[in-house]
Amino acid sequence: MVSDLAKNAYHHGDLRAALLAAATDIITESGVDAVTMRGLAERAGVSRTAPYRHFEDKRALLTEVALEGYRRLAATMAAAREKGGDDPVAALACIGQQYVRFAVDNATHYRLMFGDGAVTAGDAPAIKSASKKAAQDMVEAIQAAQARGLLIDTDPKKLANLLWSASHGLANLLISGQLPRSRAAEYARYMTDSVSRGFLPRPDDQSAR
Amino acid sequence: MVSDLAKNAYHHGDLRAALLAAATDIITESGVDAVTMRGLAERAGVSRTAPYRHFEDKRALLTEVALEGYRRLAATMAAAREKGGDDPVAALACIGQQYVRFAVDNATHYRLMFGDGAVTAGDAPAIKSASKKAAQDMVEAIQAAQARGLLIDTDPKKLANLLWSASHGLANLLISGQLPRSRAAEYARYMTDSVSRGFLPRPDDQSAR
DNA sequence: ACCTGAACACCGTTCAAGT
DNA sequence: ACCTGAACACCGTTCAAGT
């Protein structure tokens, strides 16, 4: 009954969580723009002003939702890296491909994270930390490949930023429909291949795998 | 006096142009979100509902502004290609770098063109045509390079989409501040180099230019 | 502590009415 | 043809007041 006590403390007791869940639902269904403070309140069965007891403003609420996305992205990156197995170049390709897949599969959420009104890393320390963590996975995979002589020896951070750019750009074009979503996986594969091998001919290379 | 007649026909006679100019100014100064139909009307010294005589709704007005951006982008691409001179690989690099430069130099406008609420190519045939024209420049540069054996022989459209992805992604990360804007040119250069040469080592290659 | 009702300052857009 | 005033249906947010 102790838990019931907590739950019943004023209406549902966890309005905060209810609001976040509602926002996440709406974002998934109808996009970030469809989220309104008033609508969230109504959905939670509470007055219009009640949400302001739990979040300073709309931005703060959305920042919290975005944070969850960053955490899931970081987890996806970590999993992708492992999936690459022993081969660090394969691990890197996996990371790039899974990044694009995450973005397309969570398009509306991704927009909140990286889109126009984007909750910047500066908005919350937790976001900065989660996003650094995702980036770190990429950098480490690069360093591992370089240590084995499998990648050219340039600044691994810069190289990571380039792979990030290509993945991010591809993801955006797919999400906005400028490239066909149905070909997402194909393009992602092509992207990671190309970033590794480049477009210049390789005279020494018979094994176009 | 004939021109004055035209100008004086109902207040300024070219409210349409005045509204577009005002919208462009506001977008440049304060971003797309700062554009309001009411504000535009006030700035033009006209009633709130007057703009609706010239544009069906806000989206139609913004589509017109975006179109101007697409035209300028296409012109920039064409100029970049020529700047590459005889060397088609250099032309391609120019295109990528100038694309990023355009995006960063016209950040708010670029957001309108490719951002979240983006006016999609489907919104206006003229946008589709201007954007196809820009893409065509890239494809042709690629085909020219392939004809001379300077690029691997894959689908030039796919290759163009990849370069576009990388450019677009880099541009977005720079605009949103996730990569430092001050290093835009450096990153753009690095991006086009990498997309050409790839990250895998090239044993035959002594001339790392 | 947590919630409410009323209110303020905004939006985009419509519509009957004026010249 | 082009413009206006008043109005409708929305926003985010504040603030005094209730329990």
Side-chain angles (χ1 to χ4, degrees):
Chain A
M1 286 299 144
V2 173
S3 60
D4 273 13
L5 221 176
K7 275 194 178 177
N8 290 337
Y10 269 81
H11 292 127
H12 28 236
D14 207 354
L15 179 54
R16 183 189 164 83
L19 291 169
L20 287 174
T24 304
D25 281 359
I26 292 171
I27 286 169
T28 305
E29 286 162 23
S30 327
V32 186
D33 289 345
V35 176
T36 82
M37 292 300 263
R38 290 158 109 108
L40 252 32
E42 192 178 13
R43 192 141 158 172
V46 104
S47 93
R48 294 210 266 271
T49 60
Y52 290 90
R53 291 295 121 200
H54 298 276
F55 300 96
E56 195 178 338
D57 53 21
K58 191 180 180 182
R59 184 169 192 82
L61 189 150
L62 290 179
T63 298
E64 212 84 346
V65 178
L67 175 57
E68 190 53 37
Y70 276 101
R71 289 207 179 109
R72 276 170 46 218
L73 176 59
T76 303
M77 297 295 89
R81 192 177 160 201
E82 285 189 35
K83 202 177 150 200
D86 272 350
D87 182 350
V89 174
L92 207 52
C94 258
I95 288 180
Q97 287 167 34
Q98 288 301 111
Y99 184 96
V100 174
R101 191 195 162 94
F102 176 91
V104 173
D105 286 351
N106 303 276
T108 50
H109 218 106
Y110 189 77
R111 278 198 159 161
L112 171 63
M113 294 159 63
F114 291 107
D116 281 2
V119 178
T120 52
D123 278 331
I127 285 189
K128 189 154 194 167
S129 120
S131 105
K132 288 255 168 186
K133 199 177 146 205
Q136 194 53 28
D137 259 303
M138 219 158 86
V139 173
E140 282 171 17
I142 286 166
Q143 285 170 329
Q146 286 176 328
R148 290 217 225 156
L150 297 172
L151 279 185
I152 54 170
D153 195 27
T154 47
D155 179 2
K157 262 190 143 175
K158 231 172 147 180
L159 209 157
N161 283 336
L162 188 99
L163 177 56
W164 186 22
S165 291
S167 308
H168 180 60
L170 178 57
N172 273 318
L173 294 177
L174 289 165
I175 289 174
S176 67
Q178 275 154 317
L179 293 178
R181 249 183 238 236
S182 57
R183 296 175 69 188
E186 175 196 348
Y187 266 111
R189 215 175 187 305
Y190 184 69
M191 185 267 295
T192 54
D193 271 17
S194 304
V195 167
S196 305
R197 309 185 71 255
F199 286 136
L200 299 186
R202 294 173 172 262
D204 63 301
D205 187 3
Q206 301 100 326
S207 68
R209 63 150 181 178
Chain B
M1 287 295 148
V2 174
S3 60
D4 272 12
L5 222 176
K7 274 195 177 176
N8 289 337
Y10 268 80
H11 291 125
H12 28 236
D14 207 354
L15 179 54
R16 184 188 163 83
L19 291 169
L20 287 174
T24 304
D25 282 0
I26 292 171
I27 287 169
T28 306
E29 286 162 24
S30 328
V32 186
D33 289 345
V35 177
T36 85
M37 292 299 264
R38 290 159 109 107
L40 251 33
E42 192 178 12
R43 192 139 157 172
V46 103
S47 92
R48 294 209 267 270
T49 59
Y52 289 90
R53 291 294 121 198
H54 299 276
F55 301 96
E56 195 178 338
D57 54 20
K58 190 180 179 181
R59 184 170 191 81
L61 190 151
L62 289 179
T63 299
E64 212 83 348
V65 178
L67 175 57
E68 189 53 36
Y70 276 101
R71 290 207 178 109
R72 275 170 47 217
L73 176 60
T76 303
M77 298 294 89
R81 192 178 160 200
E82 286 190 33
K83 202 178 150 200
D86 273 350
D87 182 350
V89 174
L92 207 53
C94 257
I95 288 180
Q97 287 166 34
Q98 288 302 111
Y99 184 97
V100 174
R101 191 194 161 94
F102 176 91
V104 172
D105 285 352
N106 304 275
T108 50
H109 219 107
Y110 189 78
R111 278 197 160 162
L112 170 63
M113 294 159 63
F114 292 107
D116 281 2
V119 177
T120 51
D123 278 331
I127 284 188
K128 190 155 193 166
S129 120
S131 104
K132 287 255 169 188
K133 200 178 145 203
Q136 195 52 28
D137 259 305
M138 219 157 85
V139 173
E140 282 172 18
I142 287 166
Q143 285 170 329
Q146 286 177 327
R148 289 216 225 156
L150 297 172
L151 278 185
I152 53 170
D153 195 27
T154 47
D155 179 3
K157 260 189 143 176
K158 231 171 147 180
L159 208 157
N161 282 336
L162 188 99
L163 178 56
W164 186 22
S165 291
S167 307
H168 180 60
L170 178 56
N172 273 320
L173 294 178
L174 289 164
I175 288 173
S176 68
Q178 274 154 318
L179 293 179
R181 248 183 237 234
S182 57
R183 296 176 68 186
E186 174 194 348
Y187 266 112
R189 216 177 188 305
Y190 185 68
M191 186 266 295
T192 54
D193 271 17
S194 304
V195 167
S196 305
R197 308 185 74 256
F199 286 137
L200 301 185
R202 293 174 171 258
D204 63 301
D205 187 4
Q206 302 101 322
S207 68
R209 62 153 178 175

